[in-house]
Amino acid sequence: MEAVLDFLNAPFMDQISNPATIAVFCVVAILFGLNWFVFPPQNLPSHAYSLMSSLPGPTTLPFVGNVLQLKPWDGTYFLKKINEYCDKFDNVFIIWLGNRPMVVCNSAAATRDLIATTKNNSKASLYNYLHPWLETGLLTSDGEKWRQRRTLLTPAFHFEILKSFV
């Protein structure tokens, strides 16, 4: 609740006295709410959400998650809060930016365990916006297609080959 009050007392809130501004804000809020229900947060199986809900993390608010607590519009405050959460929670915790879950690993061991296997890793749904331009190249593909393309490109970045360009 404190995050909501901080947001309402933000310096830009006193500028919102114009009825047109309030109307635009209401339309954006309605569209954001529709986005939440019409478009699922991500194309994740239901068991993934149950696994994520078992991760520790700060208390979330409906629709906005932890956005008001993190204040991403203030970079210094955002990093300070992330550091506080790293101290408060152990190796892995989850924050929600709207309807997008973000798993934060704050130890090398947890990160290694997470990325050591590509079995259950897939690209975020935001990569789908790149498909019309890039099709399914190395950047946007996952699974077996990604593995094949990565295998083809890896020799091109060998240290001996790159030395000739330096």
Side-chain angles (χ1 to χ4, degrees):
M1 193 62 178
E2 182 180 325
V4 173
L5 293 175
D6 287 345
F7 179 75
L8 293 175
N9 291 326
F12 63 86
M13 289 302 285
D14 58 353
Q15 299 170 3
I16 304 178
S17 58
N18 185 345
T21 307
I22 294 171
V24 168
F25 178 77
C26 290
V27 168
V28 169
I30 290 169
L31 289 175
F32 184 74
L34 287 174
N35 178 46
W36 183 276
F37 291 108
V38 174
F39 303 106
Q42 286 188 349
N43 295 328
L44 295 174
S46 60
H47 72 277
Y49 280 103
S50 63
L51 286 173
M52 284 189 274
S53 65
S54 68
L55 291 174
T59 306
T60 61
L61 296 170
F63 299 110
V64 295
N66 301 111
V67 170
L68 297 179
Q69 298 160 341
L70 293 170
K71 298 181 184 176
W73 55 87
D74 181 357
T76 305
Y77 184 82
F78 178 80
L79 291 176
K80 180 181 159 203
K81 283 305 269 188
I82 292 294
N83 283 332
E84 285 177 20
Y85 292 153
C86 287
D87 292 338
K88 182 177 182 180
F89 304 109
D90 287 334
N91 297 329
V92 178
F93 63 93
I94 189 167
I95 57 174
W96 289 81
L97 301 177
N99 59 359
R100 305 275 180 203
M102 304 290 171
V103 177
V104 180
C105 297
N106 61 356
S107 75
T111 305
R112 183 187 65 236
D113 293 341
L114 182 67
I115 64 173
T117 179
T118 58
K119 180 181 175 189
N120 294 319
N121 290 349
S122 61
K123 303 285 184 182
S125 61
L126 295 174
Y127 280 88
N128 293 337
Y129 296 110
L130 297 175
H131 282 276
W133 298 290
L134 300 178
E135 297 296 327
T136 53
L138 181 65
L139 179 66
T140 59
S141 61
D142 55 7
E144 189 57 35
K145 187 179 278 192
W146 175 84
R147 188 173 290 106
Q148 290 172 351
R149 290 174 180 178
R150 173 66 194 264
T151 303
L152 287 171
L153 283 173
T154 299
F157 294 98
H158 191 273
F159 183 70
E160 292 299 320
I161 293 173
L162 293 176
K163 255 188 358 188
S164 65
F165 293 104
V166 178

